[in-house]
Amino acid sequence: DGAWRLVDAAGQRLYDLVLSDPGVGPVEGGWRGPAGWGPATSDGATLTLEGAGAMTLERTATGWRGRWTVGGETVPASLIRPN
């Protein structure tokens, strides 16, 4: 639950997110960034930012890492708590 930030491999901010985990079913919330804003959902394996792209998810000690895909291009990314 709460605030998260999607960053690229260099740690540069891509999107800010607010997510809520009800404990049953998908995680839901919203995102905002250079492309605008929209709904965000996760099934635990993939985070989808509607209208922006999707990220595969792998838990780390400080958040999540994976591959961010948008427009057919895939790059390493992380989902971290903002400072």
Side-chain angles (χ1 to χ4, degrees):
D1 282 348
W4 291 89
R5 180 165 291 155
L6 181 61
V7 297
D8 65 16
Q12 295 298 309
R13 178 188 334 194
L14 300 174
Y15 297 95
D16 289 314
L17 299 92
V18 175
L19 299 172
S20 177
D21 184 353
V24 176
V27 172
E28 297 180 327
W31 63 269
R32 70 175 180 191
W37 57 271
T41 59
S42 176
D43 62 6
T46 303
L47 171 68
T48 302
L49 307 187
E50 189 174 313
M55 178 181 167
T56 59
L57 297 172
E58 178 184 332
R59 185 178 286 280
T60 69
T62 58
W64 302 84
R65 69 175 170 219
R67 309 283 296 166
W68 172 247
T69 302
V70 61
E73 183 179 345
T74 301
V75 296
S78 297
L79 191 59
I80 61 171
R81 294 285 190 177
N83 293 337

